[in-house]
Amino acid sequence: MSDDAPAEPTRADEARAELLRLRASIDNIDAALIFLLAERFRATQQVGLLKATHRMPASDPGREEQQVARLRALAEDAHLDPEFAEKWFNFVVAEVIRHHTEAAEGR
């Protein structure tokens, strides 16, 4: 074997390469989530304007309850913690309601 021959990758090299691959995948997923959230908020802004125009309440507890149940079931099917899915949904809904309230107040 000559000194000019490429060195065989070590386990550490392989682990670093795998880490970079996984992180790149995570980065792509994060980017997709941001764009999906932006699309979701564009739709909920239209809902907010519709509600404001027709003097409908900013929140709809019945709809929110149905969505929580639906998302918890989807989370279970996806092997995601349903509690996490519900917390995420509640966080997003709080922001949506804030937007709807602002729309109703003409801000």
Side-chain angles (χ1 to χ4, degrees):
M1 187 188 261
S2 72
D3 291 336
D4 294 339
E8 289 292 318
T10 65
R11 283 185 163 184
D13 292 334
E14 291 170 354
R16 279 190 288 278
E18 179 69 1
L19 180 62
L20 290 174
R21 185 190 69 74
L22 291 168
R23 285 181 173 166
S25 179
I26 291 167
D27 291 349
N28 287 336
I29 293 166
D30 287 345
L33 287 170
I34 293 299
F35 280 94
L36 286 171
L37 280 171
E39 185 175 334
R40 187 187 197 287
F41 276 102
R42 281 190 292 276
T44 60
Q45 284 173 341
Q46 291 176 341
V47 169
L49 290 174
L50 183 67
K51 286 181 171 185
T53 300
H54 296 283
R55 292 188 167 92
M56 299 165 78
S59 68
D60 184 344
R63 161 89 172 146
E64 292 162 26
E65 188 177 312
Q66 290 172 346
Q67 284 295 91
V68 165
R70 186 178 76 83
L71 292 175
R72 287 183 68 91
L74 286 171
E76 290 206 18
D77 289 346
H79 305 287
L80 179 69
D81 180 2
E83 288 293 320
F84 173 77
E86 185 172 348
K87 286 177 188 176
W88 170 83
F89 178 73
N90 288 334
F91 175 78
V92 170
V93 167
E95 185 67 8
V96 168
I97 291 171
R98 185 180 69 79
H99 290 173
H100 290 184
T101 301
E102 288 176 359
E105 294 171 354
R107 287 193 254 163

